[in-house]
């Protein structure tokens, strides 16, 4: 595995006397001018949250590229599409479930739905079973990312939101770096059943940490509903820009192992490893940069970089081009991940964290699913190389939203828009972790 540089733990455990600019304004245009002491980033509660994060991420990524290969041929897009369709549906419903059942129950349900269905794949191969398992696992993944994402955000000091979300991204990304290529490697050498068992164990073992997570208590305020969030341009614009890159990510994880024509097994696994590792590292660096200079300026460079990477991947016959394209795409994808998520959290009160988590993950998973299904249909007519190039062109459709989001605060007060949406939304119970939220 690529060495990530300075250890995450050493970078995360900082002294309380270290200073930096306070967080960027809600537009993400840049940091405020005041200087304040930096609160601790890593706490026992956040470390405990990382346990369930690692378990869910490992279970998900072990099978993400394996099941399309297991299904084979034209069914690859259907498998990933079913997974992402149910994930999107689950993400739309999760904020309401959080209001009723709380973080811990929803997170536990998600881990169960990720782990148990993987064992059903031990039966003789059948496309209907594979699609059904993917559908159920998609619901489980939705519960874990939305409930877990909102909980994680509430445990991070706002002054260090970008860095904290980047650290969470690293923790979730390391299993992706390892599990995504390892699943393919293990399936090629040991067969599919060991991969299915490993995916089940990873999710189910993480259940042991859930009872020890902070429980929510009612908090004052109105929750920002998903519908209100979808009506708020300040949240939708970053989500649209991000979905352009996630569409391409769905193509990469689903079809790169099928598209590489020379040394396919080793080249595809190494390319996925390089993409995941680069994405994790740039997500961390983008978070540190965003806390100091504002994340808005990173969205367009991230989108353009990932587009360049996808265009390079069109040279599927060249192992060098495939590796280079994977690294470039991973770099842009990591930057865009952190910048858009940080922007969206900065634009809502704490009561809106669940909705931001749902919208951002909706953009993530809808892009993954649509990219996989659409690319599968396209590649049958054009071939893989042309389809990769056309995907790169399609990614540029996210550029207008990103450009629009760079406008100055003097033109539109995004925070005022969101406050208006909250005021007009139906009252929804809103909760926080034990103790006050860091707002």
């Amino acid at each position: 595995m690529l060495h990530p540089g300075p250890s995450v733990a050493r970078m995360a455990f900082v002294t309380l006397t270290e200073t930096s600019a306070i967080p960027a304004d809600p537009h993400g245009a840049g940091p405020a001018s005041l200087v304040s002491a930096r609160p601790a980033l890593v706490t026992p509660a956040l470390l405990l949250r990382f346990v369930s994060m690692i378990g869910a991420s490992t279970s998900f990524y072990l099978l993400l590229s394996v099941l399309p290969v297991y299904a084979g041929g034209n069914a690859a897009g259907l498998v990933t599409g079913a997974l992402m369709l149910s994930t999107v549906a689950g993400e739309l419903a999760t904020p309401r479930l959080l209001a009723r059942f709380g973080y811990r129950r929803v997170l536990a349900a998600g881990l169960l739905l990720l782990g148990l269905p993987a064992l059903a794949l031990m039966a003789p191969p059948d496309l209907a079973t594979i699609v059904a398992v993917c559908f159920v696992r998609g619901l489980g993944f939705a519960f874990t990312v939305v409930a877990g994402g909102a909980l994680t955000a509430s445990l991070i000091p706002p002054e260090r939101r970008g860095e904290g979300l980047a650290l969470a991204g690293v923790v979730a990304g390391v299993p992706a770096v390892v599990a995504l290529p390892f699943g393919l490697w293990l399936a090629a050498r040991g067969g599919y059943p060991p991969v299915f068992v490993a995916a089940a164990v990873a999710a189910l073992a993480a259940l042991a940490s859930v009872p020890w997570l902070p429980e929510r208590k009612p908090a004052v305020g109105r929750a920002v509903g998903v519908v209100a969030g979808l009506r708020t341009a300040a949240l939708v614009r970053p989500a649209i820009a991000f979905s352009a890159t996630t569409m391409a990510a769905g193509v990469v994880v689903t079809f790169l192992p099928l598209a590489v024509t020379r040394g396919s097994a080793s080249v595809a696994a190494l390319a996925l490893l390089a993409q995941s590792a680069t994405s994790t590292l740039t997500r961390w660096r983008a978070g540190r940069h965003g806390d100091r200079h504002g994340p808005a300026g990173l969205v367009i460079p991230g989108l353009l970089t990932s587009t360049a990477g996808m265009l390079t991947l069109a040279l599927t016959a060249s192992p060098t081009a495939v590796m280079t394209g994977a690294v470039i795409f991973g770099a842009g994808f990591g930057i865009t991940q952190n910048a858009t998520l940080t922007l969206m959290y900065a634009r809502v009160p704490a009561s809106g964290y669940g909705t931001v988590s749902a919208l951002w993950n909706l953009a993530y998973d809808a892009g993954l699913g649509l990219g996989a299904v659409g690319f599968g249909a396209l590649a049958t007519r054009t071939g893989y190389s042309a389809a990769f190039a056309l995907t790169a062109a399609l990614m540029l459709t996210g550029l207008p939203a990103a450009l629009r989001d760079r406008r100055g605060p003097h033109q539109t007060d995004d925070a005022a828009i969101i406050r208006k949406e909250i005021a007009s939304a139906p009252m929804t119970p809103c909760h926080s972790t034990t103790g006050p939220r860091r707002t």
Side-chain angles (χ1 to χ4, degrees), residues 92-107:
L92 290 172
T94 303
R96 184 177 295 274
L97 295 176
L98 289 176
R100 181 171 182 178
F101 299 109
Y103 291 130
R104 295 195 302 195
R105 291 182 180 178
V106 176
L107 182 57

Side-chain angles (χ1 to χ4, degrees), residues 111-351:
L111 290 170
L112 283 171
L113 293 177
L114 264 178
L116 290 178
L119 298 176
L121 295 169
M122 301 291 290
D126 175 73
L127 181 58
T129 300
I130 297 172
V131 171
V133 167
C134 288
F135 191 88
V136 176
R137 278 173 52 85
L139 291 175
F141 188 63
F143 294 168
T144 62
V145 295
V146 175
L151 177 58
T152 301
S154 72
L155 298 174
I156 297 172
E159 296 88 344
R160 307 187 66 182
R161 180 179 284 118
E163 188 177 3
L165 293 175
L167 176 60
V170 169
V171 172
V174 168
V177 169
V178 176
L180 197 61
F182 179 73
L184 290 171
W185 179 87
L186 182 59
R189 285 158 180 79
Y192 292 103
V195 189
F196 301 152
V197 172
V201 170
L204 297 177
L207 277 170
S209 69
V210 174
W212 303 97
L213 288 170
E215 184 56 286
R216 304 189 312 173
K217 291 184 177 180
V220 177
R222 292 177 181 266
V224 185
V226 173
V227 174
L230 289 171
R231 292 201 309 261
T232 305
L235 300 180
V236 172
R237 288 191 302 265
I240 291 175
F242 180 49
S243 67
T245 64
T246 65
M247 171 194 65
V251 170
V252 171
V253 300
T254 304
F255 288 98
L256 189 62
L258 302 173
V260 176
T261 57
R262 293 174 58 187
S264 57
S266 59
V267 171
L270 287 173
L272 290 174
L273 173 64
Q275 183 264 320
S276 299
T278 306
S279 175
T280 299
L281 293 177
T282 56
R283 188 172 181 179
W284 170 264
R285 293 303 305 170
R288 290 178 64 84
H289 180 278
D291 280 345
R292 290 156 176 77
H293 307 289
L298 296 173
V299 176
I300 293 174
L303 177 58
L304 294 178
T305 301
S306 57
T307 301
M310 177 57 65
L311 188 60
T312 306
L313 286 172
L315 304 173
T316 55
S318 169
T320 301
V322 170
M323 291 297 300
T324 302
V327 169
I328 296 173
F329 176 79
F333 188 48
I335 292 169
T336 311
Q337 277 183 295
N338 183 269
T340 54
L341 183 59
T342 305
L343 273 175
M344 293 171 71
Y345 274 126
R347 291 172 174 178
V348 297
S351 59

Side-chain angles (χ1 to χ4, degrees), residues 9-30:
R10 181 172 62 81
M11 296 173 76
F13 282 94
V14 296
T15 64
L16 292 177
T17 58
E18 185 181 357
T19 61
S20 73
I22 63 175
D25 62 63
H27 303 275

